[in-house]
C-alpha cells in the first residue's frame, strides 16, 4: 500500500475553496463547507479537518473529533474516543488507498473510533477492521454506527431496560 501524508487542514479561506470541490463533486451530506465556514474566523491550526493532497489538490478529507470519556456510550472500558465524520475521496482518486490512509491515520491515535456508515459503505469499514455496533435506538437515533476497538477495548453493554438514558451533546 502506498503511504500518503495526512495533513491537518487550516480553518481558512484556502481550505474553504478546496472544500468546494467536494461539495460540487462529492456527496451533499458529506459537505464540510458549512462546518468550516462556522469556524473560519479562527484560522485555527488545531482544526478537526484532515486531508491528503495529490500535488496541490486536496483529494481526500475527513473530520476527526475527540469525544470525552464521560460521553462514551460505545466502549468498555469507558474512555475518550474519536468520532470520524465525513470521510470522502474525490471520485477520480477512489480505489487508490486515500480513504484507507485517512482511517489508518485515525487509528494511529490508539483510541477507539466510532463512525456512521453511509449506505453502501459497510464493506469499506469492515475491510478497515470496524464492526457494526449493536444498534440501540435511544443512543443511535437511526444512524448506522461502526466502531473500531483497539486492543483491550470491547463494546459497552446495553443499558438495562427501564434505566434513564443520558443524551450526549451534538458533536456537529
Amino acid at each position: 500500500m502506498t503511504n500518503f501524508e495526512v495533513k491537518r487542514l487550516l480553518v481558512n479561506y484556502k481550505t474553504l475553496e478546496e472544500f468546494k470541490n467536494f461539495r460540487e463533486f462529492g456527496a451533499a451530506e458529506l459537505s464540510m463547507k458549512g462546518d468550516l465556514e462556522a469556524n473560519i474566523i479562527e484560522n485555527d491550526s488545531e482544526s478537526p479537518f484532515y486531508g491528503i493532497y495529490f500535488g496541490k489538490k486536496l483529494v481526500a478529507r475527513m473530520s476527526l473529533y475527540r469525544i470525552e470519556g464521560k460521553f462514551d456510550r460505545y466502549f468498555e472500558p469507558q474512555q475518550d474516543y474519536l468520532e470520524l465524520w465525513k470521510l470522502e475521496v474525490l471520485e477520480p482518486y477512489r480505489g487508490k488507498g486515500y480513504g484507507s490512509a485517512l482511517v489508518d491515520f485515525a487509528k494511529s491515535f490508539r483510541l477507539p473510533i466510532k463512525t456512521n456508515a453511509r449506505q453502501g459503505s459497510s464493506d469499506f469499514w469492515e475491510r478497515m477492521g470496524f464492526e457494526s455496533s449493536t444498534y440501540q435506538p435511544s443512543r443511535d437515533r437511526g444512524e448506522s454506527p461502526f466502531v473500531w476497538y483497539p486492543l483491550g477495548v470491547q463494546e459497552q453493554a446495553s443499558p438495562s431496560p427501564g434505566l434513564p438514558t443520558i443524551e450526549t451533546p451534538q458533536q456537529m
Side-chain angles (χ1 to χ4, degrees):
M1 179 178 185
T2 308
N3 287 336
F4 300 106
E5 183 182 1
V6 176
K7 295 183 176 185
R8 180 170 272 177
L9 304 175
L10 294 174
V11 177
N12 61 26
Y13 288 100
K14 179 182 183 294
T15 304
L16 178 61
E17 193 61 35
E18 291 171 327
F19 278 12
K20 288 180 182 176
N21 288 329
F22 288 89
R23 183 171 179 82
E24 183 177 334
F25 301 113
E29 73 270 16
L30 292 179
S31 175
M32 293 161 66
K33 186 173 169 267
D35 297 346
L36 182 65
E37 285 175 325
N39 296 303
I40 205 144
I41 38 176
E42 299 175 22
N43 195 18
D44 189 358
S45 61
E46 294 298 312
S47 81
F49 309 117
Y50 294 87
I52 299 174
Y53 287 87
F54 182 80
K56 293 186 177 190
K57 182 179 179 80
L58 181 65
V59 298
R61 76 337 172 20
M62 69 177 172
S63 294
L64 196 59
Y65 295 91
R66 187 175 183 132
I67 309 300
E68 290 182 44
K70 66 183 178 182
F71 299 115
D72 179 8
R73 296 172 66 200
Y74 292 93
F75 304 103
E76 186 66 45
Q78 191 172 8
Q79 61 194 284
D80 287 5
Y81 67 97
L82 298 176
E83 189 149 4
L84 193 156
W85 287 82
K86 302 179 180 181
L87 173 72
E88 186 177 17
V89 178
L90 290 177
E91 184 67 43
Y93 300 90
R94 292 183 186 161
K96 297 178 182 349
Y98 292 103
S100 298
L102 287 171
V103 173
D104 287 343
F105 176 80
K107 287 178 178 180
S108 75
F109 290 93
R110 301 185 196 282
L111 289 171
I113 302 170
K114 182 239 176 209
T115 192
N116 292 311
R118 289 192 0 246
Q119 197 169 16
S121 69
S122 299
D123 289 347
F124 169 78
W125 292 110
E126 289 169 356
R127 281 193 313 273
M128 295 305 304
F130 282 66
E131 300 173 24
S132 180
S133 181
T134 303
Y135 185 78
Q136 295 179 24
S138 64
R139 176 191 72 189
D140 301 324
R141 298 185 213 106
E143 296 177 339
S144 300
F146 271 68
V147 291
W148 178 75
Y149 304 103
L151 192 61
V153 179
Q154 61 188 15
E155 184 172 19
Q156 205 175 88
S158 298
S160 301
L163 292 178
T165 58
I166 300 168
E167 297 298 321
T168 59
Q170 287 290 342
Q171 301 304 323
M172 297 300 290

Short mmCIF file of all heavy atoms in Angstrom, two decimals, residues 26-73:
data_model
loop_
_atom_site.label_atom_id
_atom_site.label_comp_id
_atom_site.label_asym_id
_atom_site.label_seq_id
_atom_site.Cartn_x
_atom_site.Cartn_y
_atom_site.Cartn_z
N GLY A 26 -18.71 15.82 -4.68
CA GLY A 26 -18.93 14.81 -3.65
C GLY A 26 -20.38 14.71 -3.23
O GLY A 26 -21.25 15.36 -3.77
N ALA A 27 -20.60 13.87 -2.25
CA ALA A 27 -21.95 13.67 -1.72
C ALA A 27 -22.35 14.88 -0.89
O ALA A 27 -21.60 15.34 -0.04
CB ALA A 27 -21.96 12.40 -0.86
N ALA A 28 -23.55 15.39 -1.14
CA ALA A 28 -24.02 16.61 -0.45
C ALA A 28 -24.02 16.44 1.06
O ALA A 28 -23.67 17.36 1.79
CB ALA A 28 -25.41 16.98 -0.96
N GLU A 29 -24.39 15.25 1.56
CA GLU A 29 -24.45 15.07 3.01
C GLU A 29 -23.06 15.05 3.65
O GLU A 29 -22.93 15.13 4.85
CB GLU A 29 -25.24 13.81 3.38
CG GLU A 29 -24.53 12.49 3.11
CD GLU A 29 -24.80 11.92 1.72
OE1 GLU A 29 -25.28 12.65 0.84
OE2 GLU A 29 -24.49 10.73 1.52
N LEU A 30 -22.03 14.94 2.83
CA LEU A 30 -20.66 14.95 3.35
C LEU A 30 -20.03 16.33 3.31
O LEU A 30 -18.88 16.48 3.71
CB LEU A 30 -19.79 13.98 2.55
CG LEU A 30 -20.11 12.51 2.70
CD1 LEU A 30 -19.20 11.67 1.83
CD2 LEU A 30 -20.00 12.08 4.14
N SER A 31 -20.74 17.32 2.84
CA SER A 31 -20.15 18.64 2.70
C SER A 31 -19.68 19.17 4.05
O SER A 31 -20.43 19.23 5.00
CB SER A 31 -21.15 19.62 2.09
OG SER A 31 -20.57 20.91 2.09
N MET A 32 -18.41 19.51 4.12
CA MET A 32 -17.83 20.08 5.34
C MET A 32 -17.74 21.60 5.22
O MET A 32 -17.26 22.26 6.12
CB MET A 32 -16.44 19.47 5.57
CG MET A 32 -16.51 18.00 5.91
SD MET A 32 -14.94 17.12 5.66
CE MET A 32 -13.89 17.85 6.86
N LYS A 33 -18.20 22.13 4.11
CA LYS A 33 -18.10 23.56 3.85
C LYS A 33 -18.77 24.37 4.96
O LYS A 33 -18.20 25.32 5.47
CB LYS A 33 -18.73 23.87 2.49
CG LYS A 33 -18.56 25.29 2.03
CD LYS A 33 -19.09 25.41 0.60
CE LYS A 33 -19.19 26.85 0.19
NZ LYS A 33 -20.49 27.43 0.42
N GLY A 34 -19.97 23.98 5.36
CA GLY A 34 -20.67 24.69 6.43
C GLY A 34 -19.93 24.60 7.76
O GLY A 34 -19.85 25.57 8.50
N ASP A 35 -19.37 23.42 8.06
CA ASP A 35 -18.59 23.26 9.28
C ASP A 35 -17.41 24.22 9.29
O ASP A 35 -17.09 24.84 10.29
CB ASP A 35 -18.04 21.83 9.40
CG ASP A 35 -19.12 20.77 9.50
OD1 ASP A 35 -20.29 21.14 9.74
OD2 ASP A 35 -18.79 19.59 9.34
N LEU A 36 -16.75 24.32 8.15
CA LEU A 36 -15.58 25.18 8.04
C LEU A 36 -15.97 26.65 8.13
O LEU A 36 -15.35 27.42 8.85
CB LEU A 36 -14.85 24.91 6.72
CG LEU A 36 -13.58 25.71 6.48
CD1 LEU A 36 -12.51 25.35 7.50
CD2 LEU A 36 -13.06 25.44 5.08
N GLU A 37 -17.03 27.03 7.42
CA GLU A 37 -17.46 28.44 7.43
C GLU A 37 -17.80 28.90 8.84
O GLU A 37 -17.54 30.04 9.20
CB GLU A 37 -18.66 28.64 6.51
CG GLU A 37 -18.30 28.63 5.05
CD GLU A 37 -19.51 28.73 4.15
OE1 GLU A 37 -20.57 28.17 4.48
OE2 GLU A 37 -19.38 29.36 3.09
N ALA A 38 -18.37 28.01 9.66
CA ALA A 38 -18.75 28.37 11.02
C ALA A 38 -17.53 28.70 11.88
O ALA A 38 -17.64 29.42 12.87
CB ALA A 38 -19.55 27.23 11.65
N ASN A 39 -16.37 28.19 11.50
CA ASN A 39 -15.16 28.39 12.31
C ASN A 39 -14.09 29.22 11.62
O ASN A 39 -12.99 29.36 12.14
CB ASN A 39 -14.55 27.02 12.65
CG ASN A 39 -15.46 26.20 13.51
OD1 ASN A 39 -15.86 26.63 14.58
ND2 ASN A 39 -15.83 25.02 13.04
N ILE A 40 -14.38 29.80 10.47
CA ILE A 40 -13.34 30.38 9.63
C ILE A 40 -12.64 31.59 10.26
O ILE A 40 -11.48 31.84 9.97
CB ILE A 40 -13.88 30.72 8.23
CG1 ILE A 40 -12.72 30.72 7.25
CG2 ILE A 40 -14.61 32.03 8.19
CD1 ILE A 40 -13.06 30.20 5.90
N ILE A 41 -13.30 32.32 11.12
CA ILE A 41 -12.66 33.49 11.70
C ILE A 41 -11.45 33.14 12.55
O ILE A 41 -10.61 33.97 12.78
CB ILE A 41 -13.66 34.34 12.53
CG1 ILE A 41 -14.60 33.44 13.30
CG2 ILE A 41 -14.39 35.33 11.69
CD1 ILE A 41 -15.55 34.16 14.21
N GLU A 42 -11.37 31.88 12.95
CA GLU A 42 -10.28 31.49 13.85
C GLU A 42 -8.95 31.26 13.13
O GLU A 42 -7.91 31.34 13.76
CB GLU A 42 -10.67 30.21 14.60
CG GLU A 42 -11.90 30.38 15.46
CD GLU A 42 -12.34 29.08 16.09
OE1 GLU A 42 -11.51 28.16 16.21
OE2 GLU A 42 -13.51 28.98 16.46
N ASN A 43 -8.95 30.89 11.84
CA ASN A 43 -7.75 30.44 11.13
C ASN A 43 -7.01 29.44 12.00
O ASN A 43 -5.82 29.53 12.26
CB ASN A 43 -6.84 31.60 10.73
CG ASN A 43 -5.81 31.15 9.69
OD1 ASN A 43 -5.96 30.12 9.04
ND2 ASN A 43 -4.75 31.91 9.56
N ASP A 44 -7.75 28.50 12.49
CA ASP A 44 -7.31 27.57 13.52
C ASP A 44 -6.41 26.47 12.94
O ASP A 44 -6.79 25.77 12.03
CB ASP A 44 -8.57 26.94 14.14
CG ASP A 44 -8.29 26.13 15.37
OD1 ASP A 44 -7.11 25.99 15.76
OD2 ASP A 44 -9.26 25.61 15.94
N SER A 45 -5.23 26.33 13.52
CA SER A 45 -4.34 25.25 13.10
C SER A 45 -4.67 23.97 13.87
O SER A 45 -4.10 22.93 13.60
CB SER A 45 -2.88 25.64 13.32
OG SER A 45 -2.65 25.87 14.69
N GLU A 46 -5.56 24.05 14.85
CA GLU A 46 -5.97 22.87 15.61
C GLU A 46 -7.35 22.41 15.15
O GLU A 46 -8.18 22.02 15.95
CB GLU A 46 -5.99 23.21 17.12
CG GLU A 46 -4.62 23.50 17.70
CD GLU A 46 -3.68 22.31 17.59
OE1 GLU A 46 -4.08 21.19 17.96
OE2 GLU A 46 -2.54 22.50 17.15
N SER A 47 -7.61 22.48 13.88
CA SER A 47 -8.92 22.13 13.34
C SER A 47 -9.14 20.62 13.41
O SER A 47 -8.19 19.85 13.49
CB SER A 47 -9.02 22.61 11.89
OG SER A 47 -8.40 21.69 11.02
N PRO A 48 -10.41 20.19 13.32
CA PRO A 48 -10.70 18.76 13.28
C PRO A 48 -10.64 18.19 11.88
O PRO A 48 -10.97 17.03 11.66
CB PRO A 48 -12.15 18.71 13.81
CG PRO A 48 -12.72 20.00 13.33
CD PRO A 48 -11.60 21.01 13.42
N PHE A 49 -10.21 18.99 10.89
CA PHE A 49 -10.21 18.57 9.50
C PHE A 49 -8.83 18.06 9.09
O PHE A 49 -7.82 18.70 9.37
CB PHE A 49 -10.59 19.75 8.59
CG PHE A 49 -11.85 20.44 9.01
CD1 PHE A 49 -11.83 21.76 9.40
CD2 PHE A 49 -13.07 19.77 9.03
CE1 PHE A 49 -12.99 22.42 9.80
CE2 PHE A 49 -14.23 20.41 9.42
CZ PHE A 49 -14.19 21.73 9.80
N TYR A 50 -8.81 16.92 8.40
CA TYR A 50 -7.57 16.32 7.91
C TYR A 50 -7.76 15.98 6.44
O TYR A 50 -8.87 15.67 6.00
CB TYR A 50 -7.24 15.04 8.69
CG TYR A 50 -6.92 15.31 10.14
CD1 TYR A 50 -7.92 15.37 11.09
CD2 TYR A 50 -5.61 15.53 10.55
CE1 TYR A 50 -7.63 15.63 12.43
CE2 TYR A 50 -5.31 15.80 11.88
CZ TYR A 50 -6.33 15.84 12.81
OH TYR A 50 -6.04 16.10 14.11
N GLY A 51 -6.67 16.03 5.69
CA GLY A 51 -6.78 15.73 4.28
C GLY A 51 -5.49 15.21 3.68
O GLY A 51 -4.44 15.23 4.32
N ILE A 52 -5.62 14.74 2.45
CA ILE A 52 -4.48 14.26 1.68
C ILE A 52 -4.48 15.02 0.36
O ILE A 52 -5.52 15.14 -0.30
CB ILE A 52 -4.55 12.75 1.41
CG1 ILE A 52 -4.55 11.98 2.74
CG2 ILE A 52 -3.39 12.30 0.52
CD1 ILE A 52 -4.76 10.49 2.59
N TYR A 53 -3.31 15.52 -0.02
CA TYR A 53 -3.15 16.24 -1.27
C TYR A 53 -2.51 15.34 -2.32
O TYR A 53 -1.63 14.54 -2.01
CB TYR A 53 -2.25 17.47 -1.07
CG TYR A 53 -2.95 18.57 -0.31
CD1 TYR A 53 -2.95 18.61 1.08
CD2 TYR A 53 -3.61 19.59 -1.00
CE1 TYR A 53 -3.59 19.62 1.77
CE2 TYR A 53 -4.25 20.60 -0.31
CZ TYR A 53 -4.23 20.61 1.07
OH TYR A 53 -4.88 21.61 1.73
N PHE A 54 -2.93 15.49 -3.56
CA PHE A 54 -2.26 14.92 -4.71
C PHE A 54 -1.71 16.13 -5.44
O PHE A 54 -2.46 16.91 -6.01
CB PHE A 54 -3.25 14.14 -5.60
CG PHE A 54 -2.60 13.50 -6.78
CD1 PHE A 54 -1.92 12.30 -6.65
CD2 PHE A 54 -2.65 14.10 -8.03
CE1 PHE A 54 -1.31 11.70 -7.74
CE2 PHE A 54 -2.04 13.52 -9.13
CZ PHE A 54 -1.36 12.31 -8.98
N GLY A 55 -0.40 16.33 -5.34
CA GLY A 55 0.19 17.59 -5.81
C GLY A 55 -0.32 18.70 -4.92
O GLY A 55 -0.19 18.64 -3.71
N LYS A 56 -0.98 19.69 -5.51
CA LYS A 56 -1.54 20.79 -4.72
C LYS A 56 -3.05 20.68 -4.56
O LYS A 56 -3.69 21.59 -4.04
CB LYS A 56 -1.18 22.13 -5.38
CG LYS A 56 0.30 22.42 -5.33
CD LYS A 56 0.61 23.80 -5.85
CE LYS A 56 2.10 24.08 -5.72
NZ LYS A 56 2.44 25.45 -5.97
N LYS A 57 -3.63 19.57 -5.00
CA LYS A 57 -5.09 19.40 -4.96
C LYS A 57 -5.49 18.52 -3.78
O LYS A 57 -4.99 17.40 -3.63
CB LYS A 57 -5.56 18.75 -6.27
CG LYS A 57 -7.06 18.56 -6.35
CD LYS A 57 -7.42 17.93 -7.69
CE LYS A 57 -8.90 17.70 -7.82
NZ LYS A 57 -9.64 18.86 -8.19
N LEU A 58 -6.41 19.01 -2.96
CA LEU A 58 -6.96 18.22 -1.87
C LEU A 58 -7.88 17.16 -2.48
O LEU A 58 -8.85 17.50 -3.15
CB LEU A 58 -7.76 19.13 -0.91
CG LEU A 58 -8.38 18.44 0.30
CD1 LEU A 58 -7.29 17.89 1.23
CD2 LEU A 58 -9.28 19.41 1.06
N VAL A 59 -7.55 15.87 -2.27
CA VAL A 59 -8.30 14.81 -2.93
C VAL A 59 -9.06 13.91 -1.94
O VAL A 59 -9.92 13.13 -2.35
CB VAL A 59 -7.40 13.95 -3.84
CG1 VAL A 59 -6.81 14.81 -4.96
CG2 VAL A 59 -6.32 13.23 -3.06
N ALA A 60 -8.73 14.00 -0.66
CA ALA A 60 -9.41 13.19 0.36
C ALA A 60 -9.42 13.98 1.65
O ALA A 60 -8.46 14.69 1.95
CB ALA A 60 -8.67 11.87 0.55
N ARG A 61 -10.53 13.83 2.40
CA ARG A 61 -10.59 14.56 3.67
C ARG A 61 -11.54 13.88 4.63
O ARG A 61 -12.35 13.01 4.25
CB ARG A 61 -10.97 16.00 3.44
CG ARG A 61 -12.36 16.50 3.12
CD ARG A 61 -13.37 15.79 2.57
NE ARG A 61 -14.72 16.03 2.33
CZ ARG A 61 -15.45 17.09 2.23
NH1 ARG A 61 -14.94 18.27 2.39
NH2 ARG A 61 -16.71 17.04 1.98
N MET A 62 -11.42 14.24 5.92
CA MET A 62 -12.31 13.74 6.97
C MET A 62 -12.30 14.74 8.12
O MET A 62 -11.42 15.59 8.21
CB MET A 62 -11.84 12.38 7.48
CG MET A 62 -10.53 12.45 8.27
SD MET A 62 -10.07 10.83 8.93
CE MET A 62 -8.42 11.21 9.55
N SER A 63 -13.29 14.61 8.98
CA SER A 63 -13.31 15.33 10.26
C SER A 63 -13.04 14.28 11.33
O SER A 63 -13.55 13.16 11.25
CB SER A 63 -14.68 15.95 10.53
OG SER A 63 -14.98 16.96 9.62
N LEU A 64 -12.27 14.66 12.34
CA LEU A 64 -11.93 13.74 13.42
C LEU A 64 -12.06 14.50 14.73
O LEU A 64 -11.33 15.47 14.96
CB LEU A 64 -10.50 13.24 13.21
CG LEU A 64 -10.05 12.02 13.98
CD1 LEU A 64 -10.92 10.81 13.67
CD2 LEU A 64 -8.59 11.71 13.66
N TYR A 65 -13.00 14.08 15.56
CA TYR A 65 -13.27 14.75 16.83
C TYR A 65 -12.94 13.83 17.99
O TYR A 65 -13.29 12.65 17.96
CB TYR A 65 -14.75 15.13 16.94
CG TYR A 65 -15.18 16.15 15.92
CD1 TYR A 65 -15.68 15.77 14.68
CD2 TYR A 65 -15.08 17.51 16.20
CE1 TYR A 65 -16.07 16.71 13.74
CE2 TYR A 65 -15.47 18.46 15.27
CZ TYR A 65 -15.96 18.04 14.04
OH TYR A 65 -16.35 18.97 13.12
N ARG A 66 -12.30 14.38 19.02
CA ARG A 66 -12.06 13.62 20.25
C ARG A 66 -13.24 13.86 21.18
O ARG A 66 -13.56 15.01 21.49
CB ARG A 66 -10.75 14.05 20.90
CG ARG A 66 -10.39 13.17 22.08
CD ARG A 66 -9.02 13.52 22.64
NE ARG A 66 -8.67 12.63 23.71
CZ ARG A 66 -7.51 12.02 23.81
NH1 ARG A 66 -6.58 12.22 22.90
NH2 ARG A 66 -7.27 11.23 24.82
N ILE A 67 -13.88 12.78 21.62
CA ILE A 67 -15.05 12.85 22.49
C ILE A 67 -14.60 12.42 23.89
O ILE A 67 -13.95 11.39 24.06
CB ILE A 67 -16.17 11.91 21.98
CG1 ILE A 67 -16.47 12.15 20.50
CG2 ILE A 67 -17.42 12.06 22.85
CD1 ILE A 67 -16.93 13.53 20.14
N GLU A 68 -14.97 13.22 24.89
CA GLU A 68 -14.59 12.93 26.26
C GLU A 68 -15.23 11.63 26.75
O GLU A 68 -16.37 11.32 26.41
CB GLU A 68 -15.03 14.06 27.19
CG GLU A 68 -14.26 15.34 27.00
CD GLU A 68 -14.73 16.41 27.99
OE1 GLU A 68 -14.92 16.08 29.18
OE2 GLU A 68 -14.91 17.54 27.55
N GLY A 69 -14.50 10.92 27.58
CA GLY A 69 -14.97 9.64 28.11
C GLY A 69 -16.30 9.72 28.83
O GLY A 69 -17.07 8.76 28.81
N LYS A 70 -16.61 10.85 29.46
CA LYS A 70 -17.88 10.94 30.18
C LYS A 70 -19.09 10.85 29.23
O LYS A 70 -20.20 10.59 29.68
CB LYS A 70 -17.95 12.22 31.01
CG LYS A 70 -17.97 13.51 30.21
CD LYS A 70 -17.97 14.72 31.13
CE LYS A 70 -17.94 16.02 30.33
NZ LYS A 70 -17.88 17.18 31.22
N PHE A 71 -18.87 11.03 27.92
CA PHE A 71 -19.94 10.90 26.93
C PHE A 71 -19.91 9.55 26.21
O PHE A 71 -20.72 9.31 25.32
CB PHE A 71 -19.87 12.03 25.89
CG PHE A 71 -20.03 13.40 26.48
CD1 PHE A 71 -18.99 14.30 26.45
CD2 PHE A 71 -21.23 13.77 27.07
CE1 PHE A 71 -19.13 15.57 26.99
CE2 PHE A 71 -21.38 15.04 27.62
CZ PHE A 71 -20.32 15.94 27.58
N ASP A 72 -18.96 8.69 26.58
CA ASP A 72 -18.79 7.41 25.89
C ASP A 72 -19.94 6.46 26.21
O ASP A 72 -20.13 6.08 27.35
CB ASP A 72 -17.45 6.78 26.30
CG ASP A 72 -17.21 5.43 25.66
OD1 ASP A 72 -17.99 5.02 24.77
OD2 ASP A 72 -16.22 4.78 26.05
N ARG A 73 -20.68 6.07 25.17
CA ARG A 73 -21.75 5.09 25.31
C ARG A 73 -21.52 3.92 24.37
O ARG A 73 -22.45 3.18 24.05
CB ARG A 73 -23.09 5.77 25.03
CG ARG A 73 -23.36 6.85 26.09
CD ARG A 73 -24.55 7.69 25.78
NE ARG A 73 -25.78 6.89 25.84
CZ ARG A 73 -26.90 7.27 25.26
NH1 ARG A 73 -26.97 8.38 24.58
NH2 ARG A 73 -27.97 6.52 25.34
#
